[in-house]
Amino acid sequence: MNGRSKAMGVRGLVMALGLLQAALAPAQPPVPDPALAGLREGLGLGYRLGDSGFNLGGYAEAAYASRDGEQPWRLALNALSGILWWDGGGRWRFLMELELEDGLVVQPGDTTTDTATPVLERFHVDYAYGDRWQLRLGKFLTPIGRWNLIHAAPLTWTTSRPLITEATFPTNATGAMVHGVLPWTADGIEYALYVSPGEELFAAKDIDTFREALGLRLATSLLPDTQFGISFASFEQESTPDRKTLYGLDFRWAWRRYELSGELAYRTRDFGEDQIDEHGHYLQAVAPLSARLFAVARYENFHASNAAHDINRYLAGLTFRPLPAFALKAEYARMTDDRMGRDDTVRASVAVLF
């Protein structure tokens, strides 16, 4: 590790100690886990398993895609996710999420289940000292930006995921995280400070996992109906061991069923001096057309690592929500860059929480 990376690590530890000192206040009753917010809002508490304290829920998504070029169309069971959590009413909690990706894929002249891939999304134990200080150990969603934390298909507005959230950072981390809400503003400041020593728990084959990582996310409401977030991460990955630094901004404004949201991420590599590596942003707008039907539009700009040109993607779609836990989506996206011209894709999906 070079001198600059060591200095960043020292600053991270100082920041951690400052947050812990502020967080260590008299104990308060633990607050609900935000990781379960979608299940709670959509279906109460999922399915209680007797009086054991365990609850079972999850979600499923089937999606259709038609793309210009070599593959005319594809129909797949994109995700079948089961979430098991335990909350005995005290300070301890447990959560596990197991997902089956591409369980069934249908293409012209071919139907297969060979693509089915089990993925352990989350597996962690929490201890809640109070709403200011909670400790999490295990495998969790990397707290960078908004989309990665609330990415379950029934809770998002589009079938496709923004490019900047796909591979710029590992979507999961295994290690320790301290998180909570600090009462420094009228609505509080949410924070998540995490460290990963590597050795990903049941790592997915298609993800370049953390070799080591240190990161921080802060989020607060500075304006009415608006939440802002900042993210910082310093990390190395298994297949690309050079150290990377990521800076992120995100926001969400919601008013009378209208919504405007976006994220920006800028990643550098350390080779004695910072080197521009990968960066991008998106801006997404949602507007109600009726009680259950919404129009969605999104613009993305993305510069991949070692790419010569930026990619621009323009998306327009409709989302129908007959029930809070059920979503039907259809979208058209045009992706362009200076070298490859235009790539048009039509997608549709059905997603449900259970």
Side-chain angles (χ1 to χ4, degrees):
M1 185 182 296
N2 59 36
R4 183 179 182 278
S5 297
K6 290 181 179 178
M8 288 168 52
V10 172
R11 288 198 298 269
L13 290 175
V14 171
M15 188 180 301
L17 291 174
L19 284 172
L20 286 174
Q21 183 178 4
L24 289 173
Q28 303 174 29
V31 297
D33 189 341
L36 303 175
L39 289 171
R40 296 177 186 275
E41 292 171 3
L43 296 172
L45 292 174
Y47 299 96
R48 292 184 179 274
L49 303 181
D51 297 326
S52 65
F54 282 93
N55 297 265
L56 181 64
Y59 66 91
E61 180 193 39
Y64 166 87
S66 176
R67 180 177 178 180
D68 286 350
E70 59 213 25
Q71 184 173 314
W73 59 269
R74 180 180 189 267
L75 179 64
L77 178 61
N78 272 3
L80 179 60
S81 178
I83 302 175
L84 177 69
W85 72 95
W86 176 82
D87 186 345
R91 302 191 182 281
W92 291 97
R93 299 191 188 99
F94 163 80
L95 182 142
M96 178 179 70
E97 179 181 0
L98 184 63
E99 181 174 313
L100 183 67
E101 296 181 347
D102 291 333
L104 174 67
V105 176
V106 181
Q107 301 177 89
D110 183 33
T111 300
T112 181
T113 58
D114 293 342
T115 55
T117 305
V119 176
L120 183 66
E121 287 276 1
R122 292 181 281 178
F123 188 95
H124 54 75
V125 174
D126 289 56
Y127 178 79
Y129 182 78
D131 58 355
R132 298 186 186 186
W133 185 88
Q134 301 183 47
L135 175 65
R136 175 167 295 172
L137 299 174
K139 184 173 183 177
F140 44 83
L141 299 175
T142 308
I144 294 177
R146 294 186 56 85
W147 194 284
N148 197 57
L149 294 174
I150 311 176
H151 71 284
L155 306 178
T156 63
W157 290 107
T158 61
T159 302
S160 62
R161 182 172 177 145
L163 297 170
I164 191 62
T165 70
E166 287 185 347
T168 305
F169 57 90
T171 53
N172 307 85
T174 298
M177 178 167 68
V178 179
H179 64 101
V181 181
L182 301 174
W184 294 348
T185 66
D187 296 319
I189 299 176
E190 299 178 22
Y191 75 94
L193 176 67
Y194 59 97
V195 60
S196 175
E199 300 297 329
E200 183 79 3
L201 186 63
F202 296 102
K205 295 180 180 180
D206 59 344
I207 294 180
D208 188 5
T209 58
F210 286 123
R211 174 175 291 186
E212 61 171 271
L214 173 69
L216 172 69
R217 170 173 164 77
L218 300 173
T220 189
S221 297
L222 299 176
L223 298 172
D225 308 309
T226 308
Q227 187 178 59
F228 296 92
I230 60 173
S231 302
F232 167 82
S234 176
F235 59 92
E236 294 180 3
Q237 292 173 266
E238 287 295 336
S239 66
T240 52
D242 52 296
R243 195 158 195 87
K244 302 179 179 71
T245 304
L246 183 144
Y247 309 91
L249 298 173
D250 62 85
F251 81 97
R252 177 179 180 266
W253 170 81
W255 177 77
R256 295 186 179 180
R257 302 171 67 231
Y258 289 87
E259 181 180 302
L260 187 66
S261 62
E263 293 188 36
L264 178 150
Y266 188 89
R267 193 182 75 184
T268 65
R269 290 180 293 183
D270 295 348
F271 291 110
E273 296 181 0
D274 285 351
Q275 302 290 322
I276 296 175
D277 184 26
E278 195 160 282
H279 58 84
H281 62 271
Y282 74 85
L283 184 65
Q284 179 173 280
V286 178
L289 300 179
S290 68
R292 304 297 181 190
L293 184 65
F294 299 82
V296 184
R298 187 168 72 225
Y299 166 71
E300 302 178 44
N301 176 268
F302 180 64
H303 186 95
S305 180
N306 299 319
H309 301 275
D310 289 3
I311 294 174
N312 296 285
R313 183 158 71 175
Y314 308 86
L315 181 148
L318 295 172
T319 298
F320 179 60
R321 295 187 181 275
L323 297 170
F326 187 78
L328 291 167
K329 310 172 196 176
E331 64 197 51
Y332 166 77
R334 171 174 292 184
M335 189 157 58
T336 65
D337 69 26
D338 295 336
R339 299 168 300 162
M340 301 178 62
R342 192 183 80 190
D343 182 10
D344 296 349
T345 305
V346 174
R347 291 185 176 89
S349 66
V350 54
V352 60
L353 284 168
F354 53 83

